[in-house]
Amino acid sequence: MKRETIRSPRAGRPGIAWALPAVLFFFLFAAAPMGIVGYLSFTDWDGLSDPSWTGLDNWSRLWNDDGMRNAIWLSLLLTALSWLTQTPVVLLLGVWAAGRQRNRAVLSAIFFLPLLASSVALALLWRTIFDPNLGLAADIADWFDLDNADLLGSSTGAFAAILFVSGWQFAPFHMLIYQGGARQIPQSLYDAASIDGAGTVRQFFHVTLPQLRNTIVTSTVLMVVGALTYFDVVLILTRGGPGDATAIVPYLMYETGFRAFDLGYASAVAAALVIVATGTSLLLVRLTGFNRMRSTREGM
Amino acid sequence: MRSPNLRPRLRVLAVSAACAVAATTLAACGSDGPGGSSDRLEVWVYQDGSTTIQEDFVERFNETSDIQVNLTQIPGENYQDRMRTAMGSPNAPDIFFNWGGGSIADFVEEDMLIDLTDTLADDPEFGDAFIPSILDAGAIDGRHYGVPMRGVQPVILFYNQTLFDEAGVEPPASLDDLFSLVDTFVERDITPAVLAGADPWTELMWLEYLLDRQGGAEIFDRIRNGDSSAWGEPAVLAAAQNAVDLVEAGAFGNNFRSVSYTTDGASTFFAQGEAAMHLMGSWEFANQLSNQPEFAESDLAWATFPAIEGGTGDPAALVGNPTNYWSVNANVEGEKLDAAVEFLKLHASEDYASALIANGDIPTTANAESLLDEAPTPEYARFQYEMVRNAPSFTLSWDQALPADQSTPMIDNIEKLFSGQLSAEQFVEAMLNL
Amino acid sequence: MSTETDLRPELARDTPPAPPVRGRRPFRLPKANYPAGIGAFVWLVIVIVPLYILVASTLQSRQEYLDNGPLSLPDSISFDSYRQVLEGDFPRYLLNTLIVTASCTALVLTLAVTVSYSIVRTRSRLSQRAFQLFLLGLAIPSQAVIIPIYLIITELSLYDTLLAIILPTAAFSLPVSVLILVGTMRDISEELYESMALDGARSVRVLFQLVIPMSRAGISTAGVFSALSAWNGFLFPLILTQSRETRVLTLGLYDFVGEFRVDIPALLAAVVLSIVPIFTAYLFARRQLINGLMGVGGK
């Protein structure tokens, strides 16, 4: 806004009314609901009758609820493991894709494909593949003579499946971010490193990685927020199961709200989700100064 | 973006056109929603192999009625959840498919359903058409909110006759028999009983029968009537332990936790001769008949669930869904209500019973017995009919009998019991703490 | 107006993996990067196998699939699965999704362009407050507010209508779109506004003759972003619609599981058909699509 304070021609400035429709619309369908969630979290509501005020009941229940603790733990675990497993892969592939190898364009285009499908479509595909009797899982168990192919039936297996599918789905997106970041690195830095006698590996650690610092932050924030709000695939692939092995916070919220119809308590879970999600992203933003970059999209 | 030379004026046009489109579509879909029109009856049904009968009878009804019925079919495992979500909105269906009991208890409590007790009593042709015990199974506090609209659906122990013959064994008469069958088939590298653990209600069927045989139908009756301390009965622990023992003995194979029923994973596996038994609702027969007719005709056999030595339950008792019901939304009134009642009466007719029979179902009307010979497999029809007629009790599936806020965590706990996350003792404790 | 010359840097700046900014040479590794190359190959297998299964399964009959398993090549190619899907409700679901996508995009663009214009040009603290509102809105996950949205939609009697999907989906696309557009519009130079002002142009004319033409890169990014979120949205349709008349593709796919059951070729054919429109768009407008997707991730 700095520029505009210099001189101002008479005509051509829109009034504040121009902002109203969007603000009102956004307020009604996004901002006000946040307030309503807060209110509902203090009520008992089954969706049929009117909500009745129950004070802090839901919140004290939430605090002591093993299911909720489990869900928060799983969400944080999913977030951390997503980051740990995806980042090295997409960093490497993104940097590679930024280069000029033969076939690079074709391969990048193929890598990109999972990003074109909706989560629902992908979850259905993976559900077919993981079917222990009819899917690829059955074949793999046959080849390696495993005694069962029950990947989605074991707690760790189902969790690993969610972790893998989310990675498979979003890796291309993060690859693109790193590809974009790597392309911004000035060639002169590499030339200088070459003159110093640095090999590929040293160049990667001493030039590429430090230069991608902002890109790593961008990708990390997006990964964290994505993992904390992962839902569609969990619903279709595991339904939070077996037991509650994959019942992460958004799924727990859905199940409590739209399966058990305990909408008051589900609102408390939702409010907790907002607190955890915004808290985490604000923390990351503070720690890394991401907000300053955001406005200029530097590093993307 | 190859040519930066795009004509700005064209863009302006495009944007304004888009806005115009938006405005008109928004206006159009606002008035287009189902439930918005007042001269139609919105009828919702769970979509499965029997839905064609509903389509057929809706069409017949619409030929003669001024008020048209619009049938919405909702497939998939979460019909119940979605129906409940819709009932909380002003666009709720006028008539909807349900399982009676807990599946409608919340609606009854909020006076959202029409009490059909008097309507049934006033018209003997309507009220007396149904087998009383089935009609009563869907009642709440002695009042009728539902009219039976599907066949009876007891849970039956299906088995593969060929595999049993090859192994030289008979269907189990007792739990001990069942365990020795498990050993026999495990040795032969055949899954003793296929179980679709990805749909935990199939695991529920085992537990329902085990508890029924261990302690009789009274225990769940108490739970259903709000006495949750009945979960602490020794029979519940014994039944849960039986379930755990079966899992550990390999009764369900190694893969059962991710096999799904709603996608026919279990049924296909069973029909391929990979599993010897399948505990499933009676609809499984019709399902196999349409998907794997060869298997259904030559290998598929059926039996009652075995007794348990030392258990106090009657081995003739049944669990399952007595039937499905139509319930009417209390918003329906005047001429629409008259039409709705007419529509319900259609389901008491002999035509409707015949259609069910032809589909392999056993109607819940009193005249069913006379129609049994018209069934595609009269033998199976008669077995089912006798089974239901002789049963001292017919326990409604627990997940349908209990209100949603109890059945959801119950199902979760059962899933954990079968997947080894909870021991039998921990399961009992978890259920007591609900 | 000489828009052509000013547009180039504009474009490059706003398209993340776009052709390199003028003056910088493309990044080039001095030697072949073997570890990454091997990694790329492994990843290729991981991506290709499921996609192969996806396509190959749809070309078999149901029985063939059950007999031969997912990896087998079809004995004879059959398009029956596709025919089955297309003869069913698929076209209706597709139409619903198209309506939802078009309306959402139009709504988002209309609102985002006007509000961004005001945020950039209105000299009022309120317009900055509006910008902050949208920035905060970026942090709201849509799952967290689904319960109140259900409440609002039922209060408005919109439950089970396409509007029930369009309105909240559009609302949740607004923050990112506003962010993109404000970024783009801030780069329009003051001189251009002044020359418009000399002509005596009012704000509406400025919007249509200067701001919109100069922001079209941002508009197309925001448009693609909101179109994609509408196209792929699942939670809002799942909770807010029920009947066949209002079913969109994603919910339709989910319901096909119950409908086609073990007919995996048909189920996967529906999955393939749901991807085809986006894939086609990808072939024709790769850059815009990628930008839009980056926006989706930014959500």
Side-chain angles (χ1 to χ4, degrees), chain A residues 45-50 67 70 127 130-134 138 147-155 235 237-245 251-252 254-263, chain B residues 77-78 80-82 84-85 87-89 106-107 109-110 112 194 198-201 254-260 262-266 268-269 272 404-409 412 415-416 419 421:
Chain A
W45 186 39
D46 64 0
L48 300 176
S49 47
D50 290 328
N70 176 59
R127 190 164 131 156
F130 287 142
D131 188 297
N133 298 319
L134 306 171
D147 66 342
N148 74 69
D150 204 8
L151 187 71
L152 295 182
S154 77
S155 303
L235 175 71
L237 211 53
T238 66
R239 259 178 264 156
D244 52 10
Y251 181 80
L252 184 75
Y254 170 78
E255 193 184 75
T256 315
F258 294 96
R259 193 153 282 195
F261 289 93
D262 195 348
L263 290 158
Chain B
E77 46 95 24
N78 61 353
Q80 172 94 347
D81 308 337
R82 287 159 76 173
R84 167 71 196 257
T85 312
M87 285 300 283
S89 81
D106 286 344
F107 306 146
E109 202 174 301
E110 298 293 332
M112 295 173 71
V194 64
D199 291 307
W201 51 266
N254 292 324
N255 289 335
F256 72 89
R257 294 175 195 90
S258 48
V259 176
S260 128
T262 33
T263 57
D264 274 350
T268 310
F269 193 66
Q272 285 174 329
D405 60 345
Q406 289 175 42
S407 77
T408 308
D412 277 353
E415 201 183 356
K416 288 185 197 167
S419 66
Q421 292 175 42

Side-chain angles (χ1 to χ4, degrees), chain B residues 161-170 181 184-185 188:
Chain B
Q161 186 69 57
T162 313
L163 291 180
F164 269 62
D165 289 348
E166 280 168 13
V169 290
E170 295 286 319
L181 281 176
T184 310
F185 285 113
R188 300 175 70 91

Side-chain angles (χ1 to χ4, degrees), chain C residues 27-50:
Chain C
F27 160 72
R28 188 183 297 136
L29 285 174
K31 280 182 254 162
N33 188 345
Y34 288 113
I38 293 168
F41 180 74
V42 172
W43 193 256
L44 178 69
V45 174
I46 294 177
V47 172
I48 280 281
V49 170

Side-chain angles (χ1 to χ4, degrees), chain A residues 2-300:
Chain A
K2 278 166 266 158
R3 278 183 231 141
E4 288 164 32
T5 52
I6 304 170
R7 277 168 290 153
S8 60
R10 283 264 170 96
R13 281 197 187 274
I16 188 69
W18 285 77
L20 270 182
V23 169
L24 285 179
F25 180 73
F26 184 72
F27 185 81
L28 179 62
F29 286 101
M34 286 291 297
I36 302 179
V37 160
Y39 165 73
L40 287 174
S41 73
F42 295 101
T43 66
D44 181 28
W45 186 39
D46 64 0
L48 300 176
S49 47
D50 290 328
S52 61
W53 186 264
T54 55
L56 284 169
D57 280 8
N58 288 326
W59 286 94
S60 63
R61 183 175 151 202
L62 192 72
W63 191 250
N64 297 308
D65 184 356
D66 289 340
M68 183 62 193
R69 278 183 203 169
N70 176 59
I72 290 185
W73 161 243
L74 289 175
S75 274
L76 294 178
L77 193 67
L78 182 71
T79 308
L81 289 179
S82 294
W83 188 84
L84 283 175
T85 52
Q86 283 180 46
T87 303
V89 175
V90 295
L91 178 60
L92 208 62
L93 291 177
V95 170
W96 172 81
R100 289 283 148 187
Q101 291 86 350
R102 262 186 307 150
N103 305 332
R104 183 198 55 85
V106 177
L107 285 183
S108 301
I110 294 174
F111 290 168
F112 190 73
L113 290 176
L115 214 48
L116 295 177
S118 60
S119 299
V120 178
L122 290 182
L124 290 177
L125 170 63
W126 282 103
R127 190 164 131 156
T128 319
I129 290 175
F130 287 142
D131 188 297
N133 298 319
L134 306 171
L136 182 64
D139 288 351
I140 291 179
D142 268 358
W143 298 337
F144 297 100
D145 211 17
L146 305 176
D147 66 342
N148 74 69
D150 204 8
L151 187 71
L152 295 182
S154 77
S155 303
T156 40
F159 189 81
I162 296 290
L163 184 67
F164 175 78
V165 174
S166 73
W168 192 83
Q169 180 183 5
F170 290 115
F173 170 67
H174 293 280
M175 262 180 234
L176 278 178
I177 296 181
Y178 280 109
Q179 186 184 346
R183 288 227 172 114
Q184 305 287 325
I185 303 175
Q187 181 60 30
S188 55
L189 291 179
Y190 288 99
D191 297 340
S194 289
I195 294 167
D196 290 349
T200 313
V201 177
R202 265 194 69 189
Q203 284 190 13
F204 179 78
F205 283 104
H206 287 93
V207 179
T208 314
L209 220 44
Q211 287 289 315
L212 285 179
R213 193 187 148 273
N214 288 341
T215 316
I216 294 173
V217 172
T218 307
S219 159
T220 301
V221 171
L222 297 179
M223 243 183 228
V224 166
V225 174
L228 285 175
T229 56
Y230 209 50
F231 170 74
D232 303 1
V233 170
V234 177
L235 175 71
I236 293 170
L237 211 53
T238 66
R239 259 178 264 156
D244 52 10
T246 54
I248 55 176
V249 180
Y251 181 80
L252 184 75
M253 195 280 302
Y254 170 78
E255 193 184 75
T256 315
F258 294 96
R259 193 153 282 195
F261 289 93
D262 195 348
L263 290 158
Y265 186 54
S267 297
V269 177
L273 174 67
V274 177
I275 294 169
V276 172
T278 41
T280 316
S281 33
L282 279 182
L283 192 73
L284 280 169
V285 165
R286 274 285 146 73
L287 286 179
T288 56
F290 180 64
N291 49 344
R292 269 170 280 126
M293 291 164 11
R294 180 114 215 174
S295 57
T296 58
R297 294 171 76 92
E298 179 195 326
M300 280 190 69

